[in-house]
Structure formats: C-alpha cells, structure tokens
Amino acid sequence: MRNRSLHILAVLVACCNLSTAWAQDTARISGHGLAMNLRANHLLQSESHPAITYQGKPVIQRMGLWITTGSTSSMASGAVCDVYTGASDFRPGPTRLNGGTASDTLQFNNVYTLRTGEVQQHKAGWKQPGYQPSDNIRLWPANGAKGFANVLAPYVDVNRNGFYDPQQGDYPFVPEGELAYTISNDVAAVNRLASVAPLGAEVQSMVWIPETQPDTSLGLLAYLRFVVHNRSQQNWNGVALSLAADFSLGDASDDYLLTDVHAGGMAAYNGNVTDAVFGSNIPAVALYMLNRQVFSSMYFENTGDAVRGNPTTMAHYHYLARGRWKTGRNLAFGRAGLDGSIITTYVYSNGTDPANMGVWNEGDAGNFPGNRTGLLTADTFSLPAGGSAVLELALGVVRNVGNDPALLGAKMVQQKNAALRQQNNQVVGLIDNPIEMRLYEDRMIIGSAGNSPLNVSVYDMTARQLATFCFLGAGIVNLKNLPGNGPVVFMVSDN
C-alpha cells in the first residue's frame, strides 16, 4: 500500500449548508440554523451581520482574540481587539519568521472557506482526465513564501514533496463540516489599540460548524481554533490567551452572564422570562475551553466608567485578562463584583468556584439585565521565541434553559462533555485504512481501524528528523518529549 503523509502544524510547549466565495475579507458559514461570520483579521463579525446568529437572530455581536503578556501591568504588552467598534491590532497575513515584517496585507485579505464535500470530491476525482480542483481547494494558503513559515495552513501532502499541489492529490487537512480559515499578524498594524510595540505574533484561525451534531436536544455546537506563533526574537512570559465576546442574545438589553468552572466556560442567558426577539423560546450561548484550563472569567461594559468601562490602555487589557478590573482592583465575590472582601477570578460562578464560595448569580444578586461583554481567559504560560500555542474552544447554543442559571450550568457541563467526545473521536481518512488522528497541545493520538502497524516520523521545518514511532493499532506521540519548540511535520504510513 502506498505511503501517505500529513503536513499539520503541531505545537511544542514546555509546560447544513454553506454559502461561501473565495477572495473576500469576510465569509459566512452556516449549518443547522447556526451561522458564523469571520473576517480576514480573525475578528468574528461582518460589517452588516453579527458574529454569531441562531435562527437568523443575533447571539454574539462581535468576538475576538486577545494576546496579553507580562508578569506585571508595567511590563505588559499584547495584541487585542475592540469588540464594540471592530478595531483590532491584527491585520491579514503571516509575518516573517524573524518577526520583523509582515506579508502584503492585501494579498492575504481573504477568508478561506471549505466544506467537507469539496475535499471528498477532490480526493475522489483528482486523477480523472481534465479534472480541475475548485478555487477553495486550489487556493488553500498551504505554503508560505521564502522567509515565512513553510506551512501556513494544514494539508495532506500525498506525494511527500513538501509543497501543496492539489493537481497531484494534495488536499487541505480540515475538520468535518463547514469552515472558515484566516491568517493574521500584529506586525502590520500602525495605529494600535494599546499603543505598544507589536509582539511579532502570527495567528492562524479556524472556525467550523460540524455537519454531525452530537446532541441536538442540548443545542448546537461550533468550534474555534487559534494557533498562535511567536515569530519574534524575544521570549514571551506571562502569556494569557483570552476570548472577548460582546453577547447580544436576541434583545441585547436584557442579558445576564454566568461562569461554570466545572464546564470550563462562560455563557450569556436571558435575564427575563421573555425576549423581544426570541420570544419565550430563548436559548443561551456558551463558550467552552477545550484544551486549556480556565484561568479567569470577567466582564466589562461599553462605557467610560473608570472601573467597569471599556479598556483603553495596555494595563487595562492586562488586568482584565487576569481576572481583575481594568484599574487592577480585585474582582470581589457577590453582587456586581465590585464590593466585598472575598477575592475571586470567576465572575458569577454560581457555586462552581473551586474555592467553594457559594452561589453567586446575577438574578439572586439583584442585578438589572443589560448588555453583557464577557472575557474568558486560559491559564497563563511562557512562549519562547519561535514557539507556538493552541487555543481551542467550543461555542454552544444551549436550548430550553429560560432564565434559570442552575439549569444552564448543568446543561453546560453536558454540552462541554459532548464537545470533547466529538473532538476526541473525529475520524480523518489519511490512508486507505482510516486513521483516527487528533492533535492536542502536548500530545497527538493516532489510531487505525484495526490492528495494522502505523509508522510515524516527525520532522521539523528544516526536514530534520526528530523522532520515529511504530504503533500497533493506536498510540500517543508526546510532543513535550520532542526537541525544539517550533512547528513539526508528521508523516504517517501503514507499511
């Protein structure tokens, strides 16, 4: 049987229908009544549509990634976005491996879209006389130019020549479903929100809606993956990756927030029994960390309030991403989080705070419903120069919870578990005997349908072989044990 190989970015750290078109700076993917809008700078939104809609109604207005670094606010740096105005420190395209300059922004001012059927059709038909791959397959941004990373988007390299060539059978390595993909950097931005020098960050972002939904009685799931590369010559310390979301659940003026630490997530739900947009059948919308622990959950407001208002300095962003108010004041357990002597980093945790602080939700606290902006932050870490990190999340629409935070929390735990099962069991046909392959931050699980031996070779981007493995049926590659800290290439064969 012929060898097949997979080129996919891995990270080594020390610690339904789709309407798309290529060559556009915003793309919309949709399925099962859920829709997501992604821009080329990785911000989720479009000029005329919310970031996320359900049944044609808004649930999140804008959403985007924050990268903040530094052990103290005086040493803070980062690259962030404003979920109210859409302003961002990120621009389309990759940055050079030395972090000094970015690519041509206009060249990469695109959102690359695919659906499962396109990939399957390509795999089945590329050998046929006169075959021409679709634009989405042909223009997949797999390889970078000289001076940039060789692999910019994951693909299967059928002929193992190190270059993406769909006419020779190569194809994008993507999850099942409908997806949108972007490459962005913080080097090209001149006017920066936080008025600090660029980090030298490159972010490869993918959002997708799976065709197969694990449990529609709970709701619907979509996924987000951010691969963050430190292209600078400096180590990053105290790195926090956060997702900021301007929730807009139907009528945005009557929402509440909830954190469920057990589910590793944060949600917005309606503060009243009815909603002006959804009526009485009101869903909640939740964000779950899949591959990292939640370090903190926080909120802020689209006001000029000195404590709770919109961040405007790097110190503000740094504090918020560490579970504090933008002034550095600690989040306090109870009411609106401003008053009280008990310090926490999880807002409205409703009995799930690991410190066992008791029940705290907005309704019991007597808060008035309103527009809510949440910030969910993963555990902090260090990222050396040339290193990479992955942040993977699930977005869930949670059905039939009304304005009951206890019911919502219970369903969030169930939906998070369903998302993990779906992600862990995703099957990708790499060779004739289907392979199950799942990439984590610190390990890669590989398995075959049956007990045939699998040979795995791991190379760095200079083609230096780092390790070889042979598994019978299944195995785990522990990435922490491999030398180096950059992207790697896996080659899998079954002979």
Side-chain angles (χ1 to χ4, degrees), residues 20-37:
T20 64
W22 188 82
Q24 53 188 354
D25 64 1
T26 303
R28 177 180 182 269
I29 61 172
S30 63
H32 307 283
L34 186 64
M36 308 175 76
N37 290 287

Side-chain angles (χ1 to χ4, degrees), residues 285-338:
V285 61
L287 296 168
Y288 308 102
M289 294 282 184
L290 295 183
N291 70 326
R292 288 183 172 273
Q293 296 295 314
V294 174
F295 176 77
S296 66
S297 61
M298 195 56 181
Y299 78 92
F300 55 94
E301 300 172 346
N302 188 19
T303 68
D305 186 88
V307 178
R308 293 188 290 183
N310 200 13
T312 57
T313 70
M314 193 65 246
H316 291 170
Y317 291 104
H318 182 273
Y319 279 131
L320 285 168
R322 282 145 187 84
R324 296 184 177 190
W325 297 108
K326 70 178 186 178
T327 58
R329 179 177 174 179
N330 288 315
L331 176 67
F333 182 88
R335 296 186 63 82
L338 292 167

Side-chain angles (χ1 to χ4, degrees), residues 67-269:
I67 306 172
T68 55
T69 69
S71 54
T72 65
S73 62
S74 62
M75 301 173 64
S77 189
V80 294
C81 64
D82 186 327
V83 292
Y84 302 123
T85 66
S88 175
D89 288 338
F90 296 94
R91 296 293 184 270
T95 187
R96 291 185 178 274
L97 292 175
N98 62 11
T101 57
S103 63
D104 182 355
T105 297
L106 292 178
Q107 178 187 350
F108 284 90
N109 193 28
N110 302 307
V111 180
Y112 303 89
T113 55
L114 277 173
R115 50 183 176 269
T116 302
E118 283 184 277
V119 177
Q120 298 302 331
Q121 290 172 11
H122 174 71
K123 290 167 66 177
W126 70 272
K127 291 183 179 180
Q128 300 300 318
Y131 171 80
Q132 291 294 324
S134 68
D135 282 349
N136 290 337
I137 297 287
R138 183 174 59 86
L139 299 171
W140 184 247
N143 298 127
K146 183 178 180 180
F148 296 84
N150 182 48
V151 179
L152 294 178
Y155 67 98
V156 174
D157 188 8
V158 172
N159 62 2
R160 294 184 294 163
N161 66 353
F163 297 96
Y164 180 68
D165 186 357
Q167 293 285 10
Q168 298 299 315
D170 295 353
Y171 58 91
F173 180 79
V174 293
E176 177 261 356
E178 296 105 340
L179 68 95
Y181 187 86
T182 68
I183 306 164
S184 59
N185 71 86
D186 83 320
V187 175
V190 177
N191 298 314
R192 300 176 62 82
L193 288 171
S195 301
V196 294
L199 285 174
E202 179 179 309
V203 180
Q204 297 159 359
S205 310
M206 184 185 295
V207 300
W208 70 97
I209 303 172
E211 293 178 359
T212 304
Q213 291 289 325
D215 191 342
T216 54
S217 65
L218 283 173
L220 298 173
L221 283 167
Y223 297 95
L224 306 93
R225 180 185 298 143
F226 302 98
V227 182
V228 178
H229 301 278
N230 179 359
R231 301 293 195 209
S232 77
Q233 302 300 302
Q234 305 296 322
N235 297 335
W236 297 349
N237 297 311
V239 182
L241 302 179
S242 311
L243 194 66
D246 179 19
F247 293 104
S248 179
L249 198 59
D251 179 2
S253 66
D254 63 352
D255 293 345
Y256 278 155
L257 283 181
L258 180 74
T259 300
D260 194 290
V261 181
H262 299 156
M266 169 181 261
Y269 64 105

Side-chain angles (χ1 to χ4, degrees), residues 321-407:
R322 282 145 187 84
R324 296 184 177 190
W325 297 108
K326 70 178 186 178
T327 58
R329 179 177 174 179
N330 288 315
L331 176 67
F333 182 88
R335 296 186 63 82
L338 292 167
D339 305 311
S341 59
I342 302 175
I343 297 172
T344 183
T345 56
Y346 303 105
V347 71
Y348 306 127
S349 52
N350 206 37
T352 67
D353 193 303
N356 297 317
M357 294 182 180
V359 174
W360 179 27
N361 61 66
E362 293 213 67
D364 289 350
N367 295 348
F368 290 106
N371 180 234
R372 296 291 187 263
T373 302
L375 185 71
L376 191 65
T377 301
D379 51 328
T380 58
F381 59 96
S382 296
L383 193 62
S388 308
V390 176
L391 180 64
E392 191 162 284
L393 306 101
L395 179 144
V397 171
V398 190
R399 291 173 171 152
N400 304 319
V401 294
N403 62 345
D404 184 343
L407 178 60

